[in-house]
Amino acid sequence: MKKKRKEQGPVAVCQLRSGQNHPFGALRQFVPLGTGQEEIYRQLREAIPVLDAAVGKLVRLSGGFQVACKNPRAQKELETFLKYVPCGYGQTGIDSFLSCYVDSLLTYGRAVGEMVVSGGRVRGLCWGDVTLLDVCEGESPMDVVLWGPDEQGVRRPLPLQHLLLFTALNPEAKHPYGVSLFRGMPFLADILMRIYTAVGSNWDRAGNVRYSVICKNGESLDPAVAAQRGQQMASEWAKAMEDSKNGTVRDFVAMGDVQIKVIGGEAPILDSQIPVRQMLEQLVAKTGLPPFLLGLSWSTT
């Protein structure tokens, strides 16, 4: 039964918005409403390589399967079919289909596949982008109907439902169509990305060393002479720095009380090892994998 949408009045829109703190700003705006989070999960894998590696490890650890037939001839033909069945996108074999299928299952909490039938025979298998489909209940809660766009772009029930395979990961009463492995990670991932962004900004400011050259005893000089001496000192300092790029050691000689300091040298960069590890520990714990499988040399039992 469809619910009628309530009419809403005009909504005030703020025209000036703050910029994103890091390239994956959608992580900070995430609210777990149950739908629309697919882009968040895609950005999580792109932003944090450990999570992308974790999904790949889980896909490999899921292993494969074997088929058995009483008829030896049928057994051989079935094994040949599963080994060489076309799966689209340049892939061949049931293993490639299952790898992409489990990858989607872990990332989005659901996955969809299709059998390609022609002439009464299965000609191939292919997986689909589950984010482009809608899942609706059929005549009973036990039935699932997949909706998708047709040739005109109108969303309709897909015609051959019996050729589609739909799987939900860890379904719940509130989320009967699957829960992603990444649920609960966006908050921690946002903190981690802010730390990485701050580290990069600090190294842009302090990593590229800039010097402050101060020459005292200039109060007693004529302003024109002081300006000329300052320009000469700046020119000689620039030449010394330029020669150092080419591997040439050039001394800088100046008269008077000259002090050379590194700008920002008194403010050391904060140690990010402990907070980064705390965030990664929570994220890795959600995957269920031991840290050493992801290349993390932590002291774990």
Side-chain angles (χ1 to χ4, degrees):
M1 180 177 180
K2 296 183 179 179
K3 297 181 180 180
K4 295 183 179 179
R5 295 183 179 178
K6 297 181 179 180
E7 296 182 359
Q8 299 179 353
V11 180
V13 179
C14 180
Q15 301 183 58
L16 301 179
R17 302 179 65 90
S18 59
Q20 298 180 356
N21 290 339
H22 51 72
F24 305 96
L27 300 177
R28 195 170 191 178
Q29 303 169 358
F30 171 75
V31 178
L33 299 178
T35 57
Q37 66 270 31
E38 291 83 4
E39 181 62 27
I40 300 295
Y41 298 148
R42 190 180 296 112
Q43 287 195 13
L44 279 175
R45 293 189 60 175
E46 183 179 353
I48 306 177
V50 171
L51 298 181
D52 189 45
V55 174
K57 293 290 185 181
L58 290 173
V59 171
R60 294 180 60 186
L61 290 174
S62 62
F65 64 94
Q66 294 180 349
V67 294
C69 252
K70 293 183 179 180
N71 189 335
R73 181 178 179 182
Q75 173 77 23
K76 184 177 180 180
E77 292 180 356
L78 185 57
E79 292 177 352
T80 303
F81 170 79
L82 294 177
K83 185 176 181 180
Y84 298 104
V85 57
C87 297
Y89 307 104
Q91 303 296 316
T92 303
I94 191 65
D95 291 336
S96 61
F97 170 80
L98 292 177
S99 297
C100 296
Y101 194 85
V102 176
D103 186 284
S104 174
L105 192 65
L106 295 173
T107 304
Y108 305 115
R110 59 188 69 92
V112 63
E114 181 181 5
M115 291 188 298
V116 180
V117 180
S118 176
R121 298 183 61 184
V122 178
R123 302 295 182 179
L125 303 172
C126 64
W127 64 90
D129 187 357
V130 74
T131 62
L132 302 179
L133 302 178
D134 294 331
V135 182
C136 303
E137 289 185 0
E139 298 179 356
S140 68
M142 305 297 295
D143 299 329
V144 173
V145 179
L146 298 178
W147 288 51
D150 58 8
E151 292 79 0
Q152 288 76 30
V154 181
R155 305 192 76 82
R156 303 179 185 275
L158 298 178
L160 303 176
Q161 295 284 328
H162 63 285
L163 297 180
L164 300 176
L165 173 64
F166 175 79
T167 307
L169 177 67
N170 298 329
E172 301 175 351
K174 190 175 181 181
H175 305 287
Y177 301 121
V179 175
S180 172
L181 177 70
F182 297 148
R183 186 179 65 169
M185 291 187 181
F187 173 73
L188 297 174
D190 174 50
I191 298 177
L192 185 62
M193 293 306 301
R194 275 188 280 174
I195 294 175
Y196 285 156
T197 303
V199 170
S201 300
N202 289 335
W203 276 101
D204 287 339
R205 295 167 183 163
N208 188 6
V209 179
R210 290 165 293 177
Y211 296 95
S212 173
V213 182
I214 302 175
C215 181
K216 298 183 179 180
N217 302 329
E219 297 82 357
S220 59
L221 298 177
D222 182 80
V225 177
Q228 182 179 3
R229 181 173 296 181
Q231 293 179 359
Q232 182 180 5
M233 187 177 300
S235 176
E236 292 299 325
W237 179 260
K239 291 180 180 178
M241 293 295 101
E242 188 67 26
D243 289 343
S244 64
K245 296 180 180 179
N246 301 325
T248 303
V249 178
R250 179 173 179 174
D251 297 329
F252 174 73
V253 181
M255 297 180 61
D257 187 3
V258 179
Q259 295 182 357
I260 301 176
K261 296 182 179 180
V262 177
I263 298 177
E266 298 81 4
I269 299 177
L270 296 176
D271 185 12
S272 61
Q273 183 176 0
I274 294 178
V276 166
R277 174 166 175 173
Q278 290 178 347
M279 296 299 105
L280 288 178
E281 284 176 348
Q282 298 293 325
L283 296 176
V284 172
K286 186 65 167 58
T287 64
L289 293 172
F292 70 87
L293 283 181
L294 301 174
L296 300 174
S297 57
W298 295 342
S299 298
T300 57
T301 56

